[in-house]
Amino acid sequence: MSGAGLALQEAMRSALLADATLRTLLGGAYVFDEVPRGAPPSYVEFTALDTRDWSTMSDRGFEHVVSIVVRTNSRSRKLAQDVSAAVEAVLDGAALAVPGHRLVNLRLVFWSVTKTGQSYGASLRFRAATEPL
């Protein structure tokens, strides 16, 4: 099993935490792998990471699908859309440093804003390809 998926997710999280626009929208550095108990919205959470072998006859490679959820405390969809747009701006097409691997590409492939209870949230999925160094 490859550590490429976890290394990719850590690189994505670091990039999101470094983004001033996203921190402003969330009211702080609220980008989590695991949401701390009692953390109030608004935040971004990595919820799933699926990795598949994408090797060829001559080269090793992996395809990753990274799922991210946005939770807000807003009764308007605008904040969820703005946070999602900020996440997309940081990650879509980003040339992230993934330790031990080369990031071939990183693309947003799905985005949905929905109402959950009395507030809005969003789901995003990114597809990435990596090759070991």
Side-chain angles (χ1 to χ4, degrees), residues 6 9 22 26 32 44 47-48 53 58-59 61 72 91 98 113 122 129:
L6 184 56
Q9 180 180 312
L22 183 60
L26 296 174
F32 303 113
V44 171
T47 58
D53 189 309
S58 60
D59 296 306
T72 75
L91 297 179
V98 180
V113 175

Side-chain angles (χ1 to χ4, degrees), residues 19-62:
D19 187 69
T21 299
L22 183 60
R23 284 194 323 272
T24 298
L25 287 167
L26 296 174
Y30 302 122
V31 180
F32 303 113
D33 181 34
E34 181 177 339
V35 179
R37 181 173 290 161
S42 298
Y43 58 80
V44 171
E45 176 186 13
F46 286 83
T47 58
L49 170 62
D50 297 308
T51 299
R52 293 171 187 82
D53 189 309
W54 193 52
S55 300
T56 64
M57 291 292 287
S58 60
D59 296 306
R60 297 266 305 154
F62 302 93

